[in-house]
Amino acid sequence: MPRRIRVATTSLATLEDVKPPYNLRNPTPQENLERGLAMLEGAGAQGVDLAVLPESLLSAGLPYEHAAINAAAQTIPGPAFDAIADCARRHNMYVVTGLPMRDGELLRNVAVLIDRKGELVGIYAKRHPTEGEIGSGIVPGDAAAVFETDFGRVGLAICFDLNWADLWATMAAQGADLICWLSAYPGGFPLAMYAWQHRYRVVSSVWTYEARVIDITGRTVAETSRWGRIAVCDLDLDKRLFHTDGQMQHILPIQTRYGQRVTVETLGEEHLFTLSSNDAALNVDDIIAEFGLVEYIDYVARCTIAQTSTRVPIGSTNQ
């Protein structure tokens, strides 16, 4: 049975100022919260299962100074968390948001996952803050975070985390179906690379204009803009990826046999294809078994074993 979910990502668009830092205006924490809540209301009205807000929502656009971050930070639960959780509950949706968190004597840059009942599922503390953040008092977290939801496993990452590949690999090893990456900036091609490399979906939410939803092929399937602050799309978490080696001959028979009950997408340059079911009564695993398909990750693993077992150093047979 396909696991189809509707997701919404958002961009705060904290741009439009020509004063230092030049492209960022300086909203107050309350203005940021109100903008975030307004976008959640819009996402909820479209019946989403998951809505995502960006990094450190309350302090978006503020300078990396201890006084500013400290003033914006709140406990969790706290007033901002409670308002966001209420929105999640009323719209029966999961919400991921970034918040500056007061953790006893410490300040943290965190991402929180809230469930459909408005209850806290878990907190991830940014593992790799910048020097500027550390100078403003932000204390790094120490672990990856992947949480269970009613549709799959969701991993959380924040902004500068983009530069540490081991974190993204760890979330894959922990079985993440989807990563929510909350940021001050768009991120660009590394997000597509991680989605492709680890075969999970990436949902980014940013302070700037370009928040994206990226599927397992590394392609952007939805994106915000200067004019559209919310991007909504449907994702099939059971969509599978295959290499064409030894399998391309099955594509047309699958399309012919199952017709509109399946969707097959081919990626010519990459020599890949994807398969997803459009019928609640049709499981992709059954099609894989029927046609003897080998998923991409298993094919690569199989080739690795074959290479290792037959590899001979150059010149060794001449000795």
Side-chain angles (χ1 to χ4, degrees):
M1 180 176 179
R3 286 183 296 155
R4 294 191 180 276
I5 62 168
R6 173 162 285 196
V7 301
T9 191
T10 61
S11 58
L12 280 185
T14 54
L15 300 176
E16 310 298 352
D17 200 339
V18 295
K19 297 178 295 185
Y22 299 109
N23 66 337
L24 291 177
R25 68 186 188 87
N26 302 114
T28 66
Q30 184 61 31
E31 287 174 333
N32 281 332
L33 177 60
E34 290 172 359
R35 178 173 290 195
L37 291 172
M39 290 191 291
L40 287 183
E41 292 293 342
Q46 297 189 54
V48 304
D49 298 287
L50 170 67
V52 186
L53 292 173
E55 175 184 21
S56 197
L57 176 66
L58 301 181
S59 58
L62 300 182
Y64 283 149
E65 297 174 357
H66 179 77
I69 304 302
N70 187 57
Q74 296 186 7
T75 59
I76 297 177
F81 174 89
D82 292 346
I84 294 168
D86 177 67
C87 195
R89 177 188 56 78
R90 286 187 290 101
H91 290 288
N92 190 36
M93 63 185 180
Y94 285 87
V95 172
V96 172
T97 186
L99 290 170
M101 176 183 176
R102 192 178 306 284
D103 182 17
E105 299 293 320
L106 305 178
L107 295 178
R108 298 190 185 274
N109 183 345
V110 304
V112 300
L113 174 62
I114 301 168
D115 70 13
R116 298 181 192 271
K117 296 180 180 179
E119 297 176 355
L120 177 66
V121 176
I123 301 174
Y124 164 73
K126 187 175 184 179
R127 190 176 180 184
H128 301 290
T130 65
E131 289 179 336
E133 287 181 278
I134 293 171
S136 71
I138 295 295
V139 176
D142 61 359
V146 176
F147 300 106
E148 197 73 43
T149 71
D150 60 16
F151 55 77
R153 293 180 62 77
V154 174
L156 304 179
I158 302 173
C159 202
F160 207 49
D161 284 337
L162 191 68
N163 299 285
W164 278 263
D166 63 312
L167 175 63
W168 296 78
T170 297
M171 291 188 288
Q174 293 179 357
D177 295 295
L178 181 150
I179 307 298
C180 294
W181 180 72
L182 320 181
S183 182
Y185 74 112
F189 80 90
L191 293 175
M193 181 271 293
Y194 286 133
W196 146 252
Q197 182 179 21
H198 298 300
R199 290 162 298 282
Y200 45 46
R201 299 93 192 142
V202 176
V203 180
S204 68
S205 180
V206 300
W207 292 1
T208 52
Y209 290 143
E210 302 86 1
R212 296 182 173 94
V213 180
I214 303 168
D215 79 356
I216 59 173
T217 65
R219 294 180 298 176
T220 296
V221 294
E223 183 175 2
T224 62
S225 72
R226 181 174 184 176
W227 315 116
R229 304 290 173 76
I230 303 173
V232 178
C233 73
D234 296 322
L235 293 175
D236 179 3
L237 300 185
D238 279 332
K239 182 178 182 179
R240 309 295 181 83
L241 184 68
F242 306 88
H243 201 281
T244 56
D245 278 4
Q247 305 192 106
M248 66 185 77
Q249 72 275 13
H250 297 307
I251 294 174
L252 181 57
I254 290 172
Q255 292 171 312
T256 303
R257 174 171 175 75
Y258 289 102
Q260 297 181 41
R261 299 176 69 195
V262 299
T263 296
V264 177
E265 298 175 285
T266 59
L267 289 76
E269 294 184 23
E270 294 84 2
H271 283 211
L272 300 173
F273 66 97
T274 65
L275 174 63
S276 54
S277 170
N278 303 321
D279 184 341
L282 179 62
N283 195 313
V284 172
D285 287 332
D286 294 333
I287 303 173
I288 291 173
E290 178 183 354
F291 286 88
L293 299 177
V294 178
E295 291 189 60
Y296 175 81
I297 189 172
D298 296 324
Y299 179 59
V300 171
R302 210 167 69 180
C303 289
T304 300
I305 292 171
Q307 294 157 10
T308 301
S309 64
T310 58
R311 183 169 287 119
V312 177
I314 293 176
S316 62
T317 58
N318 297 325
Q319 297 177 2

